[in-house]
Amino acid sequence: MDQKGYRRGSFQSSTSDEDMLEIAGASLDFSMADDDPPLDREMGGFSSYNGGGMNGTSTVMDFLEEPLPGVGTYEDFNTIDWVREKSRDRDRHREITSRSKESTWALIHSVSDAFSGWLLMLLIGLLAGSLAGLIDISAHWMTDLKEGVCLAGFWFNHEHCCWKSNTNFTDRDKCPEWKSWSQLILGHGEGAFAYILNYFMYVIWALLFSLLAVLLVKGFAPYACGSGIPEIKTILSGFIIRGYLGKWTLIIKTITLVLAVSSGLSLGKEGPLVHVACCCGNILCHLFTKYRKNEAKRREVLSAAAAAGVSVAFGAPIGGVLFSLEEVSYYFPLKTLWRSFFAALVAAFTLRSINPFGNSRLVLFYVEFHMPWHLLELVPFILLGIFGGLWGAFFIRSNIAWCRRRKTTKLGKYPVLEVFVVTAITAVLAFPNEYTRMSTSELISELFNDCGILDSSKLCEYVNDFNSTKGDDLPDRAAGPGVYTATWQLALALVMKVFITIFTFGMKVPSGLFIPSMAVGAIAGRLLGVAVEQLAFYHHDWVIFSGWCSQGADCITPGLYAMVGAAACLGGVTRMTVSLVVIMFELTGGLEYIVPLMAAAMTSKWVADAIGREGIYDAHIRLNGYPFLEAKEEFSHKTLAMDVMRPRRNDPPLTVITQDSMTVEDVETIINDTTYSGYPVVVSRESQRLVGFVLRRDLIISIENARKKQDGIVSTSIIYFTDHSPPLPPNSPSMLKLRSILDLSPFTVTDQTPMEIVVDIFRKLGLRQCLVTHNGKLLGIITKKDVLKHIAQLANQDPDSILFN
């Protein structure tokens, strides 16, 4: 749709997304510039104005012949007009293409414009990969700092400290260079007092890290808290939250993410890494005019940045692209798919070059399994899927209830105290249990691990009664005392993780949900895997085992069960399917385990959907009242556009602007008396024939600039939106022509259009508003907020919850 009413180049934002919100605590009020339909309040005095003729005698200057800064941009907490933005980009592209034939310089400019998207993806991948490597290295070091320090160099974590040690393999974690706090302070590490001192230091470091994180977030970047994925989904759908992807948010989120993960709280860094990557994408967009000045093009870049974020979070470039497509993106053309793939590739390559874990892998819990699975094992895999779905539904309901309580009670006024209390409880409960004391990533790595000959973990303490083995493949063996101890400790860790994560997710620190969800599932899966393994060992003559699991064979891999359980729980919480399976098999490097992963992920989604339709991110979007129109849900009600449009019966008439009969003062009065985002322009009040639609922001900027730059513009000057000025009496003040800011092709539907079609139009075209006509006459307006309120009302929810605050 070629919208000639827009002038090229006249859309430069007066405030960029880098602008920082200066209010600590960030209690957002979205009501200042809402998308409600413009209802008339005090319009009685305008009946004397009617449409004039189209042949004017006055000579006027259209001061908007030159690009005007700010015109065509959007106010904070408003929705962009996708149709208009795409039309502008097509205009810009046509102009560059036509000019490229005129000169060599114009041709070079055309080539650089085409190449700029790929260059931007390269920069995003490099920056996101570098920041992810920095976060991984820093978090690993600070996590180990809670337990001790390296004498060879305080900047070494425990593993790196012991690399050059001469200790044997079984004592590799007890090298002399690494000292626990009790060894450093007391000179010895044994005894009750040493244990209490280590316990005390662990809690103190955890509290210090978490308090520093929450104070930095509260003081410098309130938007840096949480995972950021619900807000990014909303931004990608076309909503504007200035500062959410700015430079201050990036700096503070990077620092506080390290602190939050190191504090031992039940959270992960994977979700926030998507926010970090999107911040990188948004900031780098400002280097390229094409993306800086077009909100729709910028959102294509942010979709690719989200893919790069997941790529570095899990070392899964293909999974990152699919995650962006399945979970966060609203508009995902084929060109964005290719660029997302490239950005994810560069980000993963950059992280691999940094090698943050020293194992030549992109993640700490990379594993490889070698034993095939048997068809009968699908039964326990499906049981894990059911568990994942049940836990996902339970977690979403509990966490949303707690977050709603936080928003509606005094609890929300004390974010620092809340973080202090939750960290203290987590640290005190975590230290006695070695599986909760270690970082969650290390826990998942241990649970995924397939026991080998040299493994010294308690989970691998089996009774060894064999004489020789073939390579690393060990037969199923009876569980030793270490396995039984580990089983009880893991059961306690499971209970703790299940409940403490509910209260942790949503606090005012960066907090991801991927890793805690995977940990819950991995613990449950490992416990079930050990149980099935022992059942097969002691009852190998049972019918279910006799065909494929003979005595002395390696049949069951408990680590595989942990991996399937992790996928099931993550799927139950997020409702991901395709991207989840791809991420998990990229983690393990085993294509033969796709079927178990698919079975568990699908089962968990079915079970969770049967209890509640929303995933955790959609639930948080609804809790916060963000204007997000979910594309996955179907609208099946038989209502019409006239049932939803405003004004309703008994409402004041629609606030409109006439095309050539209102003065500057009249228009300024409308702007001051209302808070609407735009106004329909009609031929006259009597005819109500629609001419177009003009945005409030464009009107304000245009009138202010005309008063400053155009001679003779006063309060009694006529504003007109026609090609020619209307006839006026002699000695009338200069007129103001604003045709260039008028949208001459606003989207319209008739009053009898089914709402099913209207909702589809809003979803697929990304509209802000849609005008309703009857026999060509303007009747009313439907905004995105009206659609959301209508859907909420039909779902027996409170329509006033769509308040964006």
Side-chain angles (χ1 to χ4, degrees), residues 540-585:
H540 54 83
D541 52 345
W542 282 9
V543 177
I544 55 173
F545 297 119
S546 59
W548 58 283
C549 193
S550 57
Q551 189 171 12
D554 182 14
C555 314
I556 311 296
T557 307
L560 174 60
Y561 285 71
M563 188 182 77
V564 172
C569 281
L570 186 52
V573 171
T574 63
R575 310 297 160 87
M576 295 191 304
T577 49
V578 181
S579 54
L580 172 64
V581 170
V582 173
I583 286 170
M584 293 305 292
F585 89 68

Side-chain angles (χ1 to χ4, degrees), residues 145-179:
L145 194 62
K146 292 185 299 191
E147 297 185 31
V149 70
C150 183
L151 297 182
F154 73 91
W155 56 88
F156 289 123
N157 62 40
H158 192 166
E159 185 181 357
H160 291 173
C161 187
C162 295
W163 271 357
K164 296 180 181 178
S165 176
N166 294 321
T167 52
N168 59 32
F169 188 80
T170 53
D171 293 329
R172 62 189 181 278
D173 289 336
K174 300 174 183 175
C175 61
E177 289 86 356
W178 180 264
K179 297 289 184 185

Side-chain angles (χ1 to χ4, degrees), residues 37-38 640-648 654 656 679-682 687-693 746-755 758-759 761-762 767-784 786-787:
L640 300 175
M642 62 185 298
D643 301 324
V644 181
M645 73 172 195
R646 308 257 212 115
R648 309 268 168 82
L654 198 65
V656 294
Y679 307 93
V681 177
V682 294
S687 72
Q688 290 289 307
R689 297 283 177 187
L690 183 65
V691 176
F693 192 83
F747 211 97
T748 59
V749 295
T750 67
D751 55 338
Q752 296 300 310
T753 307
M755 273 307 293
V758 174
V759 170
I761 290 169
F762 269 88
L767 299 183
R768 301 179 81 195
Q769 70 279 318
C770 178
L771 299 173
V772 183
T773 60
H774 177 74
N775 293 338
K777 289 187 176 183
L778 180 66
L779 271 190
I781 186 170
I782 299 174
T783 65
K784 192 173 183 181
D786 293 325
V787 174

